[in-house]
Amino acid sequence: MRRNWAARLRHITLDGLRAVVLENERLRVTVVPDKGGDVVEFLHKPTDTDFVWLSPQGLRDPRDHLQGAADDVAQFVDHYEGGWQEIFPSGGAPSEYRGARLAQHGEVSGLPWECAVVADDEDEVAVRLSVRTRRLPYRMEKVLRLRSGTAALEIEGRATNEADLPLHAMWGQHIVYGLPFLRPGARIRLPEGVTVIPHPGPINPEGRRVRAGGPWRWPRVPADGGGETDLSVVQEPGAPSDIVYLTGFTEGWYEISGDVGIRVEWDATLLPYLWMWQELGASTGYPWWGRAYTVGLEPFSSMPTDGLAAAVANGTALVLDPHETKVLRLRAEVVA
């Protein structure tokens, strides 16, 4: 029975794509199975705060993109609406693994996922999304669950190697925040003992925020231009673009807050890294053109953002044995 109270679920079409809305008294979450199972809305209803960043180009259907020069970066970026993507089996730049050419951020974020309702009553709603990768023999599932009376989205993800031999993978949660929630001065909290590993080179030729080298101790680290910078404080528009890798988590969690906040918890034994991506308007060429103001806090299995081959080479890639399934549990909760 369709409800307009307590936990409820409805199927909609969003910009021509299949979407499903999970909703209760406090939270509304919109997921797009037709486009990677992306979360494109995470709205805290009491404060009218949506935590996801939406890119200026908006939501686009990858199947309708027929023009322009094809390349392995554009496949992801030209359809990047912001929000929250599942990243698997490669993270970051295009890469080649055992003869398979993998585009920017791997396969599953650009594929349509199957969607089935697994719970739909006043106490909770839940959907199961599933997909098979096309270049590597993996199957992925995730169940997204919203319980009545809570401001928390619960996710259980499963990655299964369907081959008779062991395979590598990178697995990540590409979670980004933006306006109006994300503002200069917003604070990021992490557990004690986290260290900061800078990316080897700048991601913007105009400069970077954190000096190369390290590892450094969170949150105050050497700034690229001298002195220190506090990574726990979100910077003003135009601050340098950068990406760093945070590790040393005894517990997998972070909080980011201004007037209202969000806490994300995950299994740090499976995803021991947190990628911190900062694009605050300093990049004036493709693809941002100075229009992005966003910070990504992205739990990941591996590093750096150079693709699966690099993670295999440095020993941070996951190994899935023949027919092995790895299970990842996450929780994202509004802290008001």
Side-chain angles (χ1 to χ4, degrees):
M1 183 182 71
R2 182 164 180 171
R3 295 175 303 283
N4 59 2
W5 70 91
R8 59 259 201 198
L9 178 152
R10 57 194 171 98
H11 298 274
I12 65 171
T13 299
L14 186 62
D15 294 332
L17 298 169
R18 285 181 307 144
V20 59
V21 180
L22 308 175
E23 188 172 4
N24 66 9
E25 306 90 337
R26 303 179 64 191
L27 202 62
R28 187 171 70 230
V29 179
T30 300
V31 185
V32 186
D34 266 357
K35 202 268 172 184
D38 290 6
V39 175
V40 297
E41 180 184 41
F42 196 102
L43 179 75
H44 182 236
K45 293 160 70 173
T47 59
D48 194 30
T49 301
D50 194 343
F51 289 88
V52 304
W53 176 63
L54 298 177
S55 76
Q57 67 190 19
L59 183 62
R60 297 170 171 173
D61 187 342
R63 296 167 296 189
D64 292 340
H65 185 63
L66 302 177
Q67 306 301 320
D71 65 64
D72 286 344
V73 173
Q75 184 170 320
F76 177 86
V77 173
D78 286 359
H79 308 99
Y80 177 53
E81 79 286 355
W84 177 349
Q85 286 77 35
E86 194 86 28
I87 302 298
F88 191 94
S90 182
S95 182
E96 185 169 316
Y97 175 71
R98 296 169 70 168
R101 182 70 182 176
L102 300 170
Q104 178 85 9
H105 282 320
E107 296 196 69
V108 301
S109 64
L111 294 176
W113 292 51
E114 296 298 319
C115 179
V117 176
V118 295
D120 185 7
D121 57 46
E122 295 179 28
D123 294 328
E124 64 174 320
V125 289
V127 292
R128 177 183 290 111
L129 306 184
S130 59
V131 70
R132 280 187 168 90
T133 55
R134 296 178 176 176
R135 299 197 173 183
L136 275 70
Y138 282 114
R139 175 178 171 83
M140 296 207 75
E141 293 184 350
K142 57 181 176 182
V143 174
L144 297 93
R145 189 178 309 273
L146 187 59
R147 304 179 193 272
S148 178
T150 73
L153 177 67
E154 302 170 35
I155 301 177
E156 181 178 285
R158 293 175 176 268
T160 300
N161 175 7
E162 296 190 318
D164 294 330
L165 48 83
L167 294 172
H168 293 91
M170 298 174 77
W171 194 355
Q173 304 297 312
H174 194 279
I175 310 172
V176 299
Y177 303 96
L179 294 169
F181 161 67
L182 187 77
R183 297 177 183 174
R187 291 277 178 172
I188 300 167
R189 293 185 56 238
L190 301 178
E192 295 291 331
V194 168
T195 58
V196 179
I197 303 172
H199 190 64
I203 61 173
N204 179 7
E206 300 301 317
R208 60 190 300 173
R209 181 178 177 188
V210 179
R211 196 177 80 201
W216 319 113
R217 185 179 179 88
W218 171 273
R220 301 190 67 85
V221 300
D224 187 51
E228 286 188 330
T229 186
D230 187 346
L231 287 175
S232 69
V233 180
V234 175
Q235 300 295 286
E236 297 285 338
S241 308
D242 211 345
I243 187 166
V244 298
Y245 311 100
L246 311 175
T247 192
F249 289 88
T250 53
E251 302 174 289
W253 65 265
Y254 67 76
E255 292 181 0
I256 177 169
S257 60
D259 297 334
V260 64
I262 188 169
R263 178 183 175 95
V264 176
E265 301 174 349
W266 73 95
D267 178 3
T269 61
L270 185 60
L271 307 186
Y273 299 96
L274 182 67
W275 294 11
M276 183 179 180
W277 171 48
Q278 302 156 86
E279 182 48 71
L280 305 174
S283 296
T284 56
Y286 175 81
W288 310 122
W289 308 110
R291 300 189 298 170
Y293 185 83
T294 186
V295 169
L297 293 171
E298 310 168 24
F300 253 90
S301 64
S302 319
M303 61 160 284
T305 183
D306 291 335
L308 180 55
V312 171
N314 67 21
T316 65
L318 292 174
V319 177
L320 284 84
D321 289 328
H323 304 285
E324 179 186 4
T325 296
K326 291 191 181 294
V327 179
L328 173 63
R329 293 180 177 86
L330 301 99
R331 178 182 173 92
E333 182 171 14
V334 177
V335 181

mmCIF file of all heavy atoms in Angstrom, residues 251-277:
data_model
loop_
_atom_site.group_PDB
_atom_site.id
_atom_site.type_symbol
_atom_site.label_atom_id
_atom_site.label_comp_id
_atom_site.label_asym_id
_atom_site.label_seq_id
_atom_site.Cartn_x
_atom_site.Cartn_y
_atom_site.Cartn_z
ATOM 1 N N GLU A 251 39.086 3.264 13.696
ATOM 2 C CA GLU A 251 37.653 3.163 13.418
ATOM 3 C C GLU A 251 37.375 3.947 12.149
ATOM 4 O O GLU A 251 37.941 5.017 11.937
ATOM 5 C CB GLU A 251 36.816 3.763 14.556
ATOM 6 C CG GLU A 251 37.023 3.152 15.914
ATOM 7 C CD GLU A 251 36.248 3.937 16.965
ATOM 8 O OE1 GLU A 251 36.660 5.070 17.271
ATOM 9 O OE2 GLU A 251 35.228 3.413 17.447
ATOM 10 N N GLY A 252 36.488 3.407 11.318
ATOM 11 C CA GLY A 252 36.161 4.100 10.082
ATOM 12 C C GLY A 252 34.998 5.056 10.285
ATOM 13 O O GLY A 252 33.843 4.632 10.284
ATOM 14 N N TRP A 253 35.302 6.335 10.451
ATOM 15 C CA TRP A 253 34.240 7.337 10.534
ATOM 16 C C TRP A 253 34.814 8.729 10.278
ATOM 17 O O TRP A 253 36.006 8.968 10.475
ATOM 18 C CB TRP A 253 33.507 7.331 11.876
ATOM 19 C CG TRP A 253 34.329 7.707 13.080
ATOM 20 C CD1 TRP A 253 34.975 6.856 13.926
ATOM 21 C CD2 TRP A 253 34.584 9.032 13.586
ATOM 22 N NE1 TRP A 253 35.627 7.560 14.921
ATOM 23 C CE2 TRP A 253 35.390 8.893 14.739
ATOM 24 C CE3 TRP A 253 34.204 10.315 13.182
ATOM 25 C CZ2 TRP A 253 35.830 9.994 15.486
ATOM 26 C CZ3 TRP A 253 34.647 11.413 13.919
ATOM 27 C CH2 TRP A 253 35.443 11.247 15.056
ATOM 28 N N TYR A 254 33.934 9.621 9.815
ATOM 29 C CA TYR A 254 34.245 11.050 9.804
ATOM 30 C C TYR A 254 32.958 11.810 10.004
ATOM 31 O O TYR A 254 31.856 11.294 9.793
ATOM 32 C CB TYR A 254 34.948 11.482 8.509
ATOM 33 C CG TYR A 254 34.129 11.413 7.240
ATOM 34 C CD1 TYR A 254 33.148 12.366 6.937
ATOM 35 C CD2 TYR A 254 34.359 10.414 6.301
ATOM 36 C CE1 TYR A 254 32.413 12.311 5.765
ATOM 37 C CE2 TYR A 254 33.628 10.354 5.121
ATOM 38 C CZ TYR A 254 32.659 11.298 4.856
ATOM 39 O OH TYR A 254 31.931 11.247 3.696
ATOM 40 N N GLU A 255 33.107 13.064 10.416
ATOM 41 C CA GLU A 255 31.993 14.005 10.493
ATOM 42 C C GLU A 255 32.398 15.283 9.793
ATOM 43 O O GLU A 255 33.542 15.731 9.908
ATOM 44 C CB GLU A 255 31.618 14.315 11.947
ATOM 45 C CG GLU A 255 31.023 13.140 12.697
ATOM 46 C CD GLU A 255 30.630 13.488 14.127
ATOM 47 O OE1 GLU A 255 30.829 14.668 14.527
ATOM 48 O OE2 GLU A 255 30.145 12.599 14.842
ATOM 49 N N ILE A 256 31.469 15.859 9.047
ATOM 50 C CA ILE A 256 31.679 17.170 8.451
ATOM 51 C C ILE A 256 30.453 18.001 8.789
ATOM 52 O O ILE A 256 29.321 17.545 8.627
ATOM 53 C CB ILE A 256 31.937 17.080 6.928
ATOM 54 C CG1 ILE A 256 32.090 18.488 6.326
ATOM 55 C CG2 ILE A 256 30.892 16.262 6.220
ATOM 56 C CD1 ILE A 256 32.608 18.488 4.901
ATOM 57 N N SER A 257 30.689 19.208 9.306
ATOM 58 C CA SER A 257 29.548 19.963 9.840
ATOM 59 C C SER A 257 29.756 21.455 9.701
ATOM 60 O O SER A 257 30.881 21.962 9.712
ATOM 61 C CB SER A 257 29.326 19.614 11.310
ATOM 62 O OG SER A 257 30.469 19.921 12.080
ATOM 63 N N GLY A 258 28.622 22.136 9.541
ATOM 64 C CA GLY A 258 28.509 23.579 9.639
ATOM 65 C C GLY A 258 27.379 23.853 10.597
ATOM 66 O O GLY A 258 27.454 23.553 11.777
ATOM 67 N N ASP A 259 26.249 24.388 10.078
ATOM 68 C CA ASP A 259 25.064 24.542 10.912
ATOM 69 C C ASP A 259 24.452 23.188 11.252
ATOM 70 O O ASP A 259 23.805 23.019 12.285
ATOM 71 C CB ASP A 259 24.024 25.415 10.192
ATOM 72 C CG ASP A 259 24.532 26.825 9.953
ATOM 73 O OD1 ASP A 259 25.401 27.271 10.732
ATOM 74 O OD2 ASP A 259 24.085 27.462 8.988
ATOM 75 N N VAL A 260 24.608 22.229 10.353
ATOM 76 C CA VAL A 260 24.163 20.859 10.550
ATOM 77 C C VAL A 260 25.260 19.973 9.979
ATOM 78 O O VAL A 260 26.088 20.442 9.190
ATOM 79 C CB VAL A 260 22.793 20.632 9.844
ATOM 80 C CG1 VAL A 260 22.921 20.789 8.343
ATOM 81 C CG2 VAL A 260 22.194 19.283 10.198
ATOM 82 N N GLY A 261 25.313 18.711 10.381
ATOM 83 C CA GLY A 261 26.426 17.882 9.953
ATOM 84 C C GLY A 261 25.987 16.500 9.529
ATOM 85 O O GLY A 261 24.822 16.115 9.653
ATOM 86 N N ILE A 262 26.955 15.738 9.020
ATOM 87 C CA ILE A 262 26.715 14.356 8.638
ATOM 88 C C ILE A 262 27.888 13.515 9.127
ATOM 89 O O ILE A 262 29.045 13.966 9.130
ATOM 90 C CB ILE A 262 26.526 14.219 7.107
ATOM 91 C CG1 ILE A 262 26.078 12.806 6.739
ATOM 92 C CG2 ILE A 262 27.776 14.625 6.347
ATOM 93 C CD1 ILE A 262 25.615 12.683 5.292
ATOM 94 N N ARG A 263 27.569 12.317 9.585
ATOM 95 C CA ARG A 263 28.580 11.364 10.040
ATOM 96 C C ARG A 263 28.499 10.126 9.152
ATOM 97 O O ARG A 263 27.407 9.559 8.965
ATOM 98 C CB ARG A 263 28.338 10.980 11.500
ATOM 99 C CG ARG A 263 29.332 9.948 12.064
ATOM 100 C CD ARG A 263 28.970 9.580 13.494
ATOM 101 N NE ARG A 263 29.818 8.523 14.039
ATOM 102 C CZ ARG A 263 30.898 8.723 14.775
ATOM 103 N NH1 ARG A 263 31.259 9.975 15.068
ATOM 104 N NH2 ARG A 263 31.616 7.715 15.238
ATOM 105 N N VAL A 264 29.628 9.725 8.594
ATOM 106 C CA VAL A 264 29.711 8.536 7.756
ATOM 107 C C VAL A 264 30.585 7.517 8.465
ATOM 108 O O VAL A 264 31.697 7.839 8.904
ATOM 109 C CB VAL A 264 30.283 8.875 6.365
ATOM 110 C CG1 VAL A 264 30.449 7.617 5.528
ATOM 111 C CG2 VAL A 264 29.383 9.881 5.649
ATOM 112 N N GLU A 265 30.073 6.299 8.595
ATOM 113 C CA GLU A 265 30.798 5.200 9.237
ATOM 114 C C GLU A 265 30.943 4.060 8.244
ATOM 115 O O GLU A 265 30.012 3.773 7.478
ATOM 116 C CB GLU A 265 30.043 4.715 10.477
ATOM 117 C CG GLU A 265 29.830 5.782 11.540
ATOM 118 C CD GLU A 265 28.951 5.290 12.683
ATOM 119 O OE1 GLU A 265 28.354 4.196 12.543
ATOM 120 O OE2 GLU A 265 28.846 6.000 13.694
ATOM 121 N N TRP A 266 32.105 3.399 8.260
ATOM 122 C CA TRP A 266 32.351 2.290 7.342
ATOM 123 C C TRP A 266 33.368 1.334 7.958
ATOM 124 O O TRP A 266 34.000 1.639 8.972
ATOM 125 C CB TRP A 266 32.840 2.809 5.994
ATOM 126 C CG TRP A 266 34.261 3.327 5.994
ATOM 127 C CD1 TRP A 266 35.383 2.650 5.649
ATOM 128 C CD2 TRP A 266 34.703 4.647 6.392
ATOM 129 N NE1 TRP A 266 36.495 3.454 5.786
ATOM 130 C CE2 TRP A 266 36.100 4.674 6.237
ATOM 131 C CE3 TRP A 266 34.038 5.797 6.850
ATOM 132 C CZ2 TRP A 266 36.854 5.819 6.539
ATOM 133 C CZ3 TRP A 266 34.790 6.920 7.148
ATOM 134 C CH2 TRP A 266 36.180 6.931 6.980
ATOM 135 N N ASP A 267 33.537 0.190 7.314
ATOM 136 C CA ASP A 267 34.480 -0.833 7.763
ATOM 137 C C ASP A 267 35.873 -0.469 7.266
ATOM 138 O O ASP A 267 36.195 -0.653 6.089
ATOM 139 C CB ASP A 267 34.042 -2.195 7.219
ATOM 140 C CG ASP A 267 34.997 -3.316 7.602
ATOM 141 O OD1 ASP A 267 35.973 -3.055 8.333
ATOM 142 O OD2 ASP A 267 34.769 -4.458 7.158
ATOM 143 N N ALA A 268 36.700 0.048 8.179
ATOM 144 C CA ALA A 268 38.031 0.503 7.796
ATOM 145 C C ALA A 268 39.013 -0.649 7.599
ATOM 146 O O ALA A 268 40.117 -0.427 7.098
ATOM 147 C CB ALA A 268 38.585 1.477 8.839
ATOM 148 N N THR A 269 38.645 -1.862 7.975
ATOM 149 C CA THR A 269 39.514 -2.997 7.645
ATOM 150 C C THR A 269 39.427 -3.324 6.160
ATOM 151 O O THR A 269 40.395 -3.815 5.570
ATOM 152 C CB THR A 269 39.149 -4.233 8.474
ATOM 153 O OG1 THR A 269 37.801 -4.623 8.192
ATOM 154 C CG2 THR A 269 39.282 -3.941 9.968
ATOM 155 N N LEU A 270 38.275 -3.051 5.542
ATOM 156 C CA LEU A 270 38.113 -3.291 4.116
ATOM 157 C C LEU A 270 38.484 -2.055 3.295
ATOM 158 O O LEU A 270 39.089 -2.171 2.228
ATOM 159 C CB LEU A 270 36.662 -3.696 3.822
ATOM 160 C CG LEU A 270 36.327 -4.110 2.389
ATOM 161 C CD1 LEU A 270 37.153 -5.330 1.958
ATOM 162 C CD2 LEU A 270 34.838 -4.407 2.252
ATOM 163 N N LEU A 271 38.112 -0.870 3.795
ATOM 164 C CA LEU A 271 38.452 0.397 3.141
ATOM 165 C C LEU A 271 39.316 1.213 4.095
ATOM 166 O O LEU A 271 38.810 2.067 4.833
ATOM 167 C CB LEU A 271 37.180 1.178 2.763
ATOM 168 C CG LEU A 271 36.095 0.472 1.945
ATOM 169 C CD1 LEU A 271 34.998 1.478 1.557
ATOM 170 C CD2 LEU A 271 36.650 -0.223 0.723
ATOM 171 N N PRO A 272 40.620 0.994 4.110
ATOM 172 C CA PRO A 272 41.479 1.652 5.110
ATOM 173 C C PRO A 272 41.878 3.085 4.769
ATOM 174 O O PRO A 272 42.534 3.731 5.585
ATOM 175 C CB PRO A 272 42.716 0.747 5.148
ATOM 176 C CG PRO A 272 42.764 0.124 3.794
ATOM 177 C CD PRO A 272 41.342 -0.050 3.362
ATOM 178 N N TYR A 273 41.504 3.572 3.591
ATOM 179 C CA TYR A 273 41.885 4.916 3.166
ATOM 180 C C TYR A 273 40.656 5.810 3.049
ATOM 181 O O TYR A 273 39.559 5.352 2.751
ATOM 182 C CB TYR A 273 42.607 4.883 1.810
ATOM 183 C CG TYR A 273 43.889 4.087 1.844
ATOM 184 C CD1 TYR A 273 43.898 2.758 1.445
ATOM 185 C CD2 TYR A 273 45.074 4.652 2.300
ATOM 186 C CE1 TYR A 273 45.059 2.008 1.488
ATOM 187 C CE2 TYR A 273 46.242 3.907 2.360
ATOM 188 C CZ TYR A 273 46.227 2.590 1.955
ATOM 189 O OH TYR A 273 47.379 1.845 2.003
ATOM 190 N N LEU A 274 40.871 7.102 3.262
ATOM 191 C CA LEU A 274 39.862 8.121 2.993
ATOM 192 C C LEU A 274 40.493 9.124 2.047
ATOM 193 O O LEU A 274 41.434 9.836 2.417
ATOM 194 C CB LEU A 274 39.415 8.803 4.289
ATOM 195 C CG LEU A 274 38.314 9.860 4.140
ATOM 196 C CD1 LEU A 274 36.996 9.212 3.717
ATOM 197 C CD2 LEU A 274 38.122 10.643 5.446
ATOM 198 N N TRP A 275 39.989 9.156 0.801
ATOM 199 C CA TRP A 275 40.470 10.153 -0.142
ATOM 200 C C TRP A 275 39.795 11.481 0.171
ATOM 201 O O TRP A 275 38.582 11.554 0.341
ATOM 202 C CB TRP A 275 40.128 9.752 -1.573
ATOM 203 C CG TRP A 275 40.806 8.516 -2.077
ATOM 204 C CD1 TRP A 275 41.519 7.591 -1.357
ATOM 205 C CD2 TRP A 275 40.820 8.061 -3.432
ATOM 206 N NE1 TRP A 275 41.964 6.595 -2.184
ATOM 207 C CE2 TRP A 275 41.554 6.850 -3.457
ATOM 208 C CE3 TRP A 275 40.270 8.543 -4.619
ATOM 209 C CZ2 TRP A 275 41.753 6.122 -4.636
ATOM 210 C CZ3 TRP A 275 40.465 7.823 -5.804
ATOM 211 C CH2 TRP A 275 41.205 6.634 -5.810
ATOM 212 N N MET A 276 40.590 12.532 0.242
ATOM 213 C CA MET A 276 40.068 13.875 0.480
ATOM 214 C C MET A 276 40.369 14.713 -0.757
ATOM 215 O O MET A 276 41.507 15.099 -1.011
ATOM 216 C CB MET A 276 40.696 14.507 1.714
ATOM 217 C CG MET A 276 40.143 15.877 2.038
ATOM 218 S SD MET A 276 40.901 16.565 3.547
ATOM 219 C CE MET A 276 40.040 18.141 3.624
ATOM 220 N N TRP A 277 39.315 14.961 -1.536
ATOM 221 C CA TRP A 277 39.424 15.705 -2.785
ATOM 222 C C TRP A 277 38.855 17.101 -2.562
ATOM 223 O O TRP A 277 37.750 17.254 -2.048
ATOM 224 C CB TRP A 277 38.660 14.983 -3.893
ATOM 225 C CG TRP A 277 38.525 15.748 -5.168
ATOM 226 C CD1 TRP A 277 39.515 16.398 -5.848
ATOM 227 C CD2 TRP A 277 37.319 15.947 -5.921
ATOM 228 N NE1 TRP A 277 38.990 16.981 -6.992
ATOM 229 C CE2 TRP A 277 37.652 16.715 -7.061
ATOM 230 C CE3 TRP A 277 36.003 15.532 -5.752
ATOM 231 C CZ2 TRP A 277 36.707 17.099 -8.007
ATOM 232 C CZ3 TRP A 277 35.058 15.911 -6.699
ATOM 233 C CH2 TRP A 277 35.414 16.679 -7.814
#
